[in-house]
Amino acid sequence: MPAENLPETSTPRVADGRSRTPRRVAVIVGLSAAVAAALAWYGNRHDFYDLKIYLSAMRWWADGNPLYDYSQPDVVQGTLYFTYPPFTALLLRPFAALSDVATATIFTVGSLLALVVTTVWLVTPIARRRGLPRWWLAGLAVPLVVLIEPTRETIFLGQINMLLVVLILADLLFAVPKGSRWAGVGIGLATAIKLFPGIFIVYLLVTRRWRAALVSCVAAAGATLLAAAVLPAESWRFWTQELWSTERVGRSDYTGNQSLQGLLGRLVAPDEPSRLIWLVLVAVVAGYGLWRAAQAVRAGDELAGLTLTGLVAALIAPITWPHHVYWFVPALILLLDAALRQRDGSDSTPTAVPQPDGPAARAGVRAAGLLALAAGSFAALVFGVVSLIDWGHDRAPTDDPVTFLLRNLYVLVAALLLVSLPIRRTPVESPR
């Protein structure tokens, strides 16, 4: 088409886009600098504590000692052990030959890359729908994701959680919706590495993705059998003894345990919580949360479905450390997206009786409520449960409302989100 026949709006849009780019870059740089300064002030208070346990266990094992005999004293838990399945030990064993600095560098860079990639996946549909560059939206989101305590704990402890998140999100955002023959492999491998992601196999079952659920089980079993073939003694010991030794995973009443069992333990400490009450709560939360997840998938909102499932896992697991709860990240993105859709009127349902001002006003109120919930949840995650308050090491009950709130912050936020997380009922774009 000749230049003179181009629509009149073409040139102004390009010029406007180019003029906005420096400002967008400046905002991202400024935000990133502010977050970097906050993290520099906070410092790496954990000094890759968990990663050093992995490395010590691997070196102990490489010296010819039984892997699951490894233990070391800890001021909070008393004694710490290597608690991962044998398949994870196979993956970690090569790091025994590397220095602590080299391994910490690999884990930190890997976690940060995984955070960037997964955040791009999550914000791409929003950027596409709103006509924004995804680099711009991701550039705003990544520093904020790094700032929250679950992410800080993952990086500064040297945890492997972000590897699991990449496997799960790749499966549930791409392979499963496309009906790929590989759908389920990522979840299966994540489950073989750490048992926590096994809840997503249940999610596949309740959402009737039978083939993906079967593939997940086969992948998890295949990785586990591979480890058993290479490490028969370690595998036998883990699956018959260590998996069932609850004292190896840590104190349930410790503030860092942000699960329902942790909440109950803190109410009655130093006594043990009622197992029956915990099992009833687990059944109610799992049933309700997975029912909502299935509703989300039927409405076409895959992200809401997998996010609800992650929140269920955090609540019902016996031990949920802050670095386990990545699933607050997609929850915050869902809240913001739903608020924007309410404001635009793209997520509203027609009313039977026309009301000229009613629906728009109600949509505005709902949008404000969603934004308030997102802001409150984000503030709670930045403050955290173990970063800024030293709760001590004694087994002490929660004896006042403020202490109860602060010591159970993630449990309460996760429960609130399980009930109130919106399901976007109009077509939701894939991040592809």
Side-chain angles (χ1 to χ4, degrees), residues 120-126 128-129 134 172-175 177-178 300 302-303 424 427-432:
V120 169
W121 289 349
L122 294 176
V123 303
T124 291
I126 304 173
R128 185 184 299 138
R129 188 175 64 253
R134 65 177 179 175
L172 293 177
L173 293 180
F174 299 98
K178 288 171 60 177
E302 293 279 353
L303 184 58
R424 300 165 297 175
V428 179
E429 301 92 330
S430 162
R432 295 188 294 276

Side-chain angles (χ1 to χ4, degrees), residues 200-215:
F200 290 99
I201 299 179
V202 181
Y203 167 68
L204 291 175
L205 290 172
V206 299
T207 55
R208 301 183 181 183
R209 270 77 75 92
W210 312 115
R211 188 181 185 283
L214 176 61
V215 171

Side-chain angles (χ1 to χ4, degrees), residues 208-410:
R208 301 183 181 183
R209 270 77 75 92
W210 312 115
R211 188 181 185 283
L214 176 61
V215 171
S216 289
C217 292
V218 170
T224 302
L225 290 174
L226 172 64
V230 179
L231 309 170
E234 289 84 352
S235 295
W236 176 258
R237 178 170 171 178
F238 178 82
W239 294 107
T240 61
Q241 298 178 45
E242 310 307 338
L243 177 62
W244 315 104
S245 300
T246 55
E247 71 276 3
R248 294 176 65 93
V249 296
R251 278 172 44 189
S252 65
D253 68 294
Y254 174 55
T255 304
N257 179 20
Q258 291 294 298
S259 68
L260 289 169
Q261 179 162 285
L263 182 148
L264 294 175
R266 287 184 285 277
L267 282 175
V268 301
D271 299 327
E272 290 297 317
S274 165
R275 182 59 59 91
L276 177 60
I277 293 175
W278 176 65
L279 289 174
V280 169
L281 286 174
V282 164
V284 170
V285 168
Y288 175 74
L290 290 172
W291 172 78
R292 284 210 75 209
Q295 293 287 100
V297 170
R298 280 195 285 274
D301 197 344
E302 293 279 353
L303 184 58
L306 70 91
T307 302
L308 288 164
T309 304
L311 295 174
V312 167
L315 288 167
I316 69 174
I319 301 289
T320 299
W321 304 128
H323 55 266
H324 290 165
V325 202
Y326 165 84
W327 307 104
F328 285 130
V329 173
L332 290 172
I333 290 173
L334 277 166
L335 288 173
L336 291 173
D337 184 41
L340 292 173
R341 292 159 71 93
Q342 286 286 346
R343 190 193 67 179
D344 297 342
S346 59
D347 216 19
S348 56
T349 7
T351 54
V353 179
Q355 299 176 354
D357 299 322
R362 285 195 296 272
V365 171
R366 284 193 293 268
L370 291 169
L371 288 173
L373 180 56
S377 300
F378 179 74
L381 293 168
V382 171
F383 182 80
V385 292
V386 294
S387 293
L388 302 177
I389 299 179
D390 182 1
W391 295 105
H393 311 311
D394 296 334
R395 293 178 179 267
T398 49
D399 51 8
D400 67 80
V402 174
T403 302
F404 176 82
L405 173 65
L406 293 177
R407 293 190 74 189
N408 300 290
L409 204 52
Y410 292 0

